Amino acid sequence: MSFLIEGCRVYAGGQLVSRPLGVSDGRIVSADTVSNAPVFHFDDCVLLPGFVDVHVHLREPGFSYKETIGTGTLAAAHGGFTAVCAMPNLNPVPDSVESLNIQREMIRRAARVEVFPYGALTVGERGERIADLEGMAPNVIAFSDDGRGVQDAAIMREAMTRAAALRKIVAAHCEDNALLNGGYIHAGRYAKAHNHRGIVSESEWRPIERDLKLADETKCAYHVCHVSTKESVALIRAAKKSSVNVTCETAPHYLTLCEDDLQEHGRFKMNPPLRAAADRDALLEGLCDGTIDMIATDHAPHAAEEKARGLEGSPMGVVGLETAFPVLYTALARRGVITLERLIELMAFSPAHRFGLERSWGEGARADFTIFDLRRQYTIDPATFLSMGHATPFEGRAVYGECLMTVHNGQIVWQKDAR
């Protein structure tokens, strides 16, 4: 397939340059080499590298009533993502070659963008025995027991040692079960005022503290999922200064919301929970000084009836693929907290680099890109989502930045008004 894109400002070398762009045989080519091909004109829009999300729940196999690989990856394309990494809390859990291959075949048949599966760290994600890391290693992006913290330090040490030998990342959901006490939102002033059971920040940062020591000991490449507390940021910052091989991610909701924004609805319930304003501010500081390496959505869809049970009764998890860029562009880049170029680094290049998805950009590179109209203001409406999940804390928020087209491997995988 060959075509031309005209009228865009194209991301090039850290800046936006007005010029046409050609696509041919799955690659970005000089526009003057493409002839007799369709032309798509986008007046004063921006053409950006396709985003990479290293933390997505596609729910298949096992939970297709929440999301399918087809709907989840179409939602990713709608949000400008051309690659996602699929978390392993599935049924069956991908803890062996056999169970992993079930998921891989489903991805092969249904994915609209590139999907890289995680392998589980432990059998059944139960934290008791190490999974078949060696067998799965050639076909997984990294190892994680996401959704559950590994409680036993000896198990984590063994997992890190084996992952290090395989040159694979351990991506950790950091949560100390002994400190949860039945909590389901942050243990802060909102929980106290509304008589909710709270989750203390220590339940996150204490396992991070443990794991950073283990990562230093084992020389494992360690990645911290969905950082939400100021203590976590401080620990990771110090570890980086000590040359521990650690990176971390946070999510758009932790950067732009806090417990003061909570409402009595399941669309505000996720794990970790929205923390205090001081935690949000520490995350923003970590984003600006490089402590936080990337932004991931932790896209976690649930059925509508599940999320309609309030803060206490709803399962944890919100969707994010279709709102991430406009929310972050509006709240951070438009307001000068970070530059647009830094946002692209956080959403595209940094996650690809850390997880070994080296992506070139420019002529000759694979045609993975997205086009946004940054002038377009609209209100987030879950009824427009392509994901089966509609629970978002950003419902009703006014944002700038509408995705008009996403191209993966030279194929148009999303185009406005051309579903």
Side-chain angles (χ1 to χ4, degrees), residues 80-336:
F81 292 89
T82 56
V84 299
C85 301
M87 286 299 180
N89 47 347
L90 303 167
N91 186 19
V93 172
D95 55 12
S96 66
V97 172
E98 293 74 20
S99 56
L100 174 64
N101 282 343
I102 295 171
Q103 181 189 10
R104 292 179 64 216
E105 176 59 20
M106 297 178 82
I107 291 168
R108 186 192 68 78
R109 292 198 309 263
R112 305 291 289 269
V113 301
E114 200 160 17
V115 177
F116 299 94
Y118 278 86
L121 269 179
T122 67
V123 175
E125 287 195 318
R126 291 188 291 269
E128 299 167 352
R129 292 185 294 118
I130 305 300
D132 181 13
L133 308 189
E134 291 76 14
M136 294 188 290
N139 294 306
V140 297
I141 192 69
F143 296 110
S144 180
D145 270 5
D146 187 64
R148 302 182 183 182
V150 176
Q151 305 302 303
D152 189 316
I155 292 289
M156 183 58 99
R157 180 183 289 107
E158 181 185 353
M160 284 187 172
T161 299
R162 288 169 59 176
L166 295 166
R167 297 186 176 181
K168 287 288 183 180
I169 291 170
V170 168
H173 173 111
C174 293
E175 187 171 43
D176 187 336
N177 292 348
L179 297 174
L180 296 180
N181 298 316
Y184 46 87
I185 65 170
H186 177 60
R189 60 190 183 191
Y190 186 94
K192 293 176 182 176
H194 295 81
N195 199 30
H196 288 298
R197 294 189 299 278
I199 300 173
V200 296
S201 295
E202 188 177 359
S203 66
E204 173 180 296
W205 65 257
R206 187 66 73 184
I208 293 175
E209 184 178 54
R210 179 201 72 182
D211 287 354
L212 288 170
K213 293 175 182 176
L214 293 175
D216 189 33
E217 174 188 328
T218 62
K219 307 307 175 188
C220 174
Y222 178 58
H223 179 78
V224 188
C225 296
H226 44 53
V227 170
S228 72
T229 77
K230 62 182 184 294
E231 294 90 351
S232 301
V233 175
L235 285 166
I236 294 164
R237 181 181 291 118
K240 287 187 171 190
K241 290 179 180 178
S242 298
S243 300
V244 177
N245 186 356
V246 58
T247 53
C248 68
E249 70 193 46
T250 194
H253 38 277
Y254 303 122
L255 292 166
T256 61
L257 300 171
C258 68
E259 64 173 341
D260 299 336
D261 299 294
L262 283 170
Q263 296 178 26
E264 294 293 313
H265 193 284
R267 64 190 179 92
F268 289 89
K269 186 178 181 181
M270 69 286 293
N271 191 22
L274 296 177
R275 303 287 187 182
D279 295 296
R280 178 202 57 205
D281 294 345
L283 292 169
L284 289 169
E285 182 181 351
L287 201 70
C288 293
D289 70 15
T291 300
I292 294 174
D293 302 272
M294 64 196 76
I295 299 172
T297 66
D298 195 7
H299 177 84
H302 293 286
E305 58 271 21
E306 292 176 317
K307 292 298 282 183
R309 300 169 187 162
L311 285 177
E312 181 175 2
S314 298
M316 291 175 167
V318 296
V319 296
L321 286 167
E322 295 167 271
T323 59
F325 179 80
V327 164
L328 294 168
Y329 172 72
T330 304
L332 303 185
R334 275 182 62 90
R335 295 176 181 173

Side-chain angles (χ1 to χ4, degrees), residues 66-78:
K66 297 174 185 280
E67 186 82 286
T68 68
I69 289 166
T71 60
T73 55
L74 187 57
H78 187 206

Side-chain angles (χ1 to χ4, degrees), residues 321-387:
L321 286 167
E322 295 167 271
T323 59
F325 179 80
V327 164
L328 294 168
Y329 172 72
T330 304
L332 303 185
R334 275 182 62 90
R335 295 176 181 173
V337 178
I338 58 174
T339 63
L340 175 61
E341 290 73 23
R342 173 65 174 150
L343 182 57
I344 294 167
E345 178 72 23
L346 290 161
M347 294 187 68
F349 295 121
S350 182
H353 175 72
R354 174 57 166 172
F355 282 77
L357 311 177
E358 292 294 350
R359 301 292 176 88
S360 57
W361 179 248
E363 288 187 19
R366 190 171 73 174
D368 277 18
F369 59 81
T370 186
I371 297 172
F372 274 82
D373 182 352
L374 300 183
R375 303 162 302 171
R376 164 85 165 116
Q377 185 182 29
Y378 61 99
T379 299
I380 291 176
D381 178 4
T384 67
F385 291 175
L386 303 184
S387 169

